[in-house]
Amino acid sequence: MFILFGIQAVLLASFVFLSQTTPLMVYIVMASIGLCYGACFSLFPSATADFFGTKNVGANYGIVFTSYGAGGILGPMLSAYLVKSNPAIADYMWPGLILGVLVGIAALMALVIKPPIKE
């Protein structure tokens, strides 16, 4: 998870520079973010089982997956609001940078947080 989150953090923070490049570069970065996002779907079920046990892994992963959906709805809406409401922000540079920092924090948390010890 640390590697995936780290790559995503760098890619999202790169939006600061993408406004000065070609559309092709934006597509490449977005596709790479999507690949990392998809790779997380193979890691999160096992992480959910490691942290909360296998007894209710289906229900617990459903909660984790629902948070993905909420973030997928609220994130773009908040980004669009930020860009439209602030004339100083001409593009999605700041929302991308903010997301990059938040995913960077998640990468650091992936290094620090360990599954609880089973007794």
Side-chain angles (χ1 to χ4, degrees):
M1 282 190 195
F2 170 73
I3 293 169
L4 286 174
F5 291 156
I7 292 169
Q8 282 181 318
V10 169
L11 291 170
L12 285 163
S14 74
F15 273 101
V16 172
F17 307 105
L18 286 180
S19 63
Q20 301 154 357
T21 64
T22 65
L24 178 62
M25 192 62 180
V26 174
Y27 297 145
I28 291 170
V29 169
M30 291 302 295
S32 300
I33 290 170
L35 288 171
C36 289
Y37 181 79
C40 287
F41 284 114
S42 66
L43 297 176
F44 282 178
S46 61
T48 302
D50 288 346
F51 275 88
F52 303 109
T54 56
K55 182 179 178 187
N56 296 313
V57 72
N60 290 336
Y61 184 63
I63 294 168
V64 170
F65 195 75
T66 300
S67 69
Y68 253 70
I73 293 169
L74 293 176
M77 290 172 62
L78 289 171
S79 294
Y81 175 77
L82 180 64
V83 170
K84 288 181 182 179
S85 67
N86 191 340
I89 301 175
D91 56 21
Y92 286 87
M93 175 186 75
W94 284 107
L97 186 59
I98 292 167
L99 288 173
V101 169
L102 291 174
V103 177
I105 292 169
L108 295 175
M109 289 174 66
L111 284 177
V112 175
I113 297 175
K114 302 295 179 210
I117 298 172
K118 308 275 193 268
E119 294 180 8

